[in-house]
Amino acid sequence: MTSKRESIILADKALVESVLQIKTVKRHIQQYEELNRYALTQFPVVGVVGGLPVPQEHRQGRTGQADIIISQLQVDFYVYFQEADDEKMDTTVSSLVNYLWVALYSDPTRGNLCHYTRLTAEPNYEVWNPFVAFKITAFHEYQHSIEGI
């Protein structure tokens, strides 16, 4: 049985994969050594990493029904690309953030798996020549029972 947490993360991954400009999507943070193994045509690479649900509210279930938990799930999107031209670097960051922002807000309930999605982005990007990296974070509020996450 797939948990609701996993279903939300898979929905996030599918939305990222729908962005034509993104070439590779993985379920983990990419290390420098891993990035070096990708061909240039496999960039941009996105690592989709889900956190654990953080309970926000606990509601007593009716007689004979399980208690309900309202939790927040954080999912991080680590985006990596190659850009040697400093003039194009910031423009590429802007374009990629825009494409992902639009895709991740295109279905804020992830097919009714969660109540809402809120996105944030790290204010700065990092450069590890020849790679550039930045992070977008999604916060999903969703409901589950005490019988599963």
Side-chain angles (χ1 to χ4, degrees), residues 42-61:
Q42 293 176 287
F43 284 92
V45 174
V46 177
V48 179
V49 181
L52 296 176
V54 177
Q56 306 291 306
E57 183 181 342
H58 185 135
R59 297 179 187 162
Q60 288 293 121

Side-chain angles (χ1 to χ4, degrees), residues 3-148:
S3 69
K4 191 176 270 191
R5 171 196 178 269
E6 182 67 14
S7 296
I8 293 169
I9 296 168
L10 290 173
D12 281 341
K13 183 176 181 276
L15 288 171
V16 172
E17 289 171 335
S18 74
V19 177
L20 297 177
Q21 292 78 5
I22 302 299
K23 302 303 179 193
T24 306
V25 181
K26 298 289 185 179
R27 282 286 302 268
H28 64 279
I29 297 172
Q30 302 293 293
Q31 302 298 323
Y32 188 83
E33 297 78 27
E34 291 175 279
L35 293 172
N36 274 321
R37 289 193 285 264
Y38 289 110
L40 187 58
T41 56
Q42 293 176 287
F43 284 92
V45 174
V46 177
V48 179
V49 181
L52 296 176
V54 177
Q56 306 291 306
E57 183 181 342
H58 185 135
R59 297 179 187 162
Q60 288 293 121
R62 293 185 176 140
T63 305
Q65 294 182 347
D67 288 1
I68 299 297
I69 308 293
I70 305 298
S71 290
Q72 181 171 280
L73 175 64
Q74 178 176 327
V75 180
D76 294 316
F77 305 90
Y78 297 89
V79 183
Y80 312 90
F81 66 96
Q82 288 191 30
E83 185 58 72
D85 185 345
D86 288 343
E87 296 294 319
K88 292 182 181 176
M89 192 178 302
D90 191 57
T91 302
T92 302
V93 168
S94 291
S95 295
L96 290 172
V97 169
N98 187 62
Y99 296 136
L100 289 166
W101 201 268
V102 169
L104 292 168
Y105 269 130
S106 68
D107 179 10
T109 66
R110 302 302 184 259
N112 294 319
L113 290 169
C114 58
H115 299 154
Y116 69 84
T117 297
R118 179 177 56 88
L119 298 178
T120 64
E122 290 290 317
N124 299 305
Y125 52 88
E126 296 184 26
V127 178
W128 315 316
N129 262 341
F131 308 110
V132 181
F134 64 89
K135 181 174 85 168
I136 295 174
T137 299
F139 296 96
H140 302 292
E141 181 185 274
Y142 74 104
Q143 178 178 310
H144 56 96
S145 75
I146 60 172
E147 298 169 342

